[in-house]
Amino acid sequence: MATRLGPAAEADLITATATTPSPSPSPSTSDSSASSAATAPPVRLWLQPTVIALVVVAAFIGCYVGLQRDPQPHRVPVAVAGQELSGEVRQVLGDSVDVHPVADAATGRVEVERRDVVAALSGRPDSGRLRLEVGGANGLSTTTAVKSLMGAYAHGTGQRLTTVDVVPFARFDSRGLAGFYMAFGVTLAGFALAQNALGLANHLHLRHRFWLLSGASVAIGIVATVIAGPVLGAVPAPVMPMTFTLTLLAAAAAFTTKLLGTYLGPVGVPVATLLLLTVGNSTSGAAIGPDLLPSAARAVSALLPPGAAVRAVTDLSYFHGAQAVQPLTTLALWAVIAAVLVGLRPRLRRRRTHARG
């Protein structure tokens, strides 16, 4: 028969139960809790990739969309025949154009074909007509801006303007973007090549990785040239100079990415993404001509490998390589300097180790 406790006894029992110490956890349970706390990933491991991803997307959209939002011509080089016409154009258009006075229309056209200027304006003051010869291969945005500027000048002075494209794009490159896409693709290939080489550091000796980057860069240059040139007919440059140019671009991208990954660790690859694929390609001058870029973007346009490559591709394709020496030198310097610094890394590590010892 069950015995029922009184209210006072029940209260004493409850109090005793509440005040009785709970049994201590077993050693295995304690070790498990400590191990779980010890292996919890630090906040940095979550935060770093998130911040990097946000920086990359912000920079990519900011560069590509922002630079195309409101392009403004700034000192676009234009040859103008005759002192009187040159003075009038300079006075009316101001800093929008950089007037190159020439003796006559023929001289102006030669400067367009050598890419010293992007257009040449000629006409007699008493004829009421002006002739504008543009080098369309300088880019759609640039030639459109020049046509607009000279059209405004002609309208303001009551003259009729005739426009002729003396350096048109190739048949299969109607918008003039083949050079940009080629440079972008080669840069991306060099970047991917170096990213994979960074993962082979424990499997290949440094000299073997150098051979890998160098040999693959040559292969990238050959494949890109053959596809864009002889196969698709979109880039009319000679095969050998174009292969040399794209090989230099691939090597510059590969060794620069390898350099940043070697010295900066995991952050190096995102930095290379920002430098080469984002800033470098967006300021290359293909989608938006360099003379229409903001001052900061214009300053770095020709100094980064993609911008130098686009200039070299255009020069070799349409202007007989007249201005190709400078961009090719830029590409070579990026490739060589980055390769030398990568090669010096083991020596610097040994010196630091000896200094600590």
Side-chain angles (χ1 to χ4, degrees):
M1 179 176 181
T3 304
R4 178 175 177 81
L5 298 176
E10 289 183 355
D12 292 341
L13 181 60
I14 293 171
T15 302
T17 303
T19 56
T20 302
S22 59
S24 59
S26 63
S28 61
T29 304
S30 177
D31 292 344
S32 176
S33 301
S35 175
S36 176
T39 57
V43 176
R44 180 179 62 83
L45 295 183
W46 298 85
L47 191 60
Q48 178 176 306
T50 303
V51 170
I52 289 174
L54 292 176
V55 169
V56 169
V57 71
F60 193 94
I61 295 175
C63 287
Y64 278 94
V65 178
L67 292 178
Q68 298 183 65
R69 187 178 61 171
D70 186 27
Q72 296 293 331
H74 177 75
R75 299 190 64 80
V76 181
V78 177
V80 181
Q83 291 296 329
E84 183 178 351
L85 184 58
S86 299
E88 290 181 358
V89 171
R90 185 183 289 112
Q91 182 178 2
V92 172
L93 298 181
D95 288 338
S96 298
V97 296
D98 180 15
V99 175
H100 292 218
V102 293
D104 50 36
T107 305
R109 180 168 184 167
V110 169
E111 291 204 2
V112 173
E113 293 173 344
R114 292 190 315 206
R115 212 186 186 187
D116 294 327
V117 297
V118 300
L121 182 69
S122 60
R124 293 182 303 176
D126 57 347
S127 66
R129 294 185 178 183
L130 295 173
R131 178 181 174 87
L132 180 66
E133 296 180 324
V134 299
N138 286 290
L140 186 61
S141 61
T142 300
T143 54
T144 299
V146 170
K147 291 176 184 178
S148 177
L149 289 170
M150 294 307 167
Y153 168 76
H155 179 75
T157 57
Q159 302 182 77
R160 182 179 178 182
L161 180 68
T162 301
T163 303
V164 180
D165 191 348
V166 296
V167 191
F169 286 119
R171 176 188 173 189
F172 297 108
D173 185 25
S174 59
R175 296 185 57 83
L177 294 177
F180 167 73
Y181 289 124
M182 187 190 317
F184 190 97
V186 171
T187 303
L188 181 61
F191 171 83
L193 170 66
Q195 193 173 14
N196 280 274
L198 286 168
L200 297 175
N202 296 327
H203 304 280
L204 290 178
H205 191 273
L206 179 61
R207 68 174 181 273
H208 296 148
R209 278 176 276 149
F210 265 71
W211 281 111
L212 171 63
L213 295 183
S214 302
S217 294
V218 175
I220 291 170
I222 293 173
V223 170
T225 299
V226 171
I227 292 175
V231 175
L232 299 179
V235 180
V239 171
M240 291 305 295
M242 182 58 65
T243 300
F244 178 67
T245 300
L246 297 182
T247 296
L248 285 179
L249 173 60
F255 280 107
T256 299
T257 303
K258 182 74 166 65
L259 170 68
L260 294 172
T262 300
Y263 280 81
L264 301 182
V267 182
V269 173
V271 171
T273 303
L274 292 173
L275 181 67
L276 299 172
L277 300 179
T278 304
V279 177
N281 280 301
S282 64
T283 62
S284 63
I288 297 295
D291 298 305
L292 281 73
L293 292 172
S295 56
R298 191 166 54 248
V300 303
S301 177
L303 300 179
L304 296 177
V310 169
R311 284 163 173 76
V313 169
T314 303
D315 279 317
L316 292 171
S317 299
Y318 299 103
F319 299 96
H320 311 288
Q323 307 290 333
V325 172
Q326 182 175 348
L328 288 176
T329 302
T330 300
L331 291 173
L333 287 174
W334 274 91
V336 171
I337 292 174
V340 169
L341 291 177
V342 169
L344 288 176
R345 178 64 170 172
R347 186 175 301 177
L348 294 176
R349 282 180 174 174
R350 286 194 295 269
R351 288 183 178 179
R352 190 174 302 172
T353 302
H354 292 322
R356 290 175 180 175

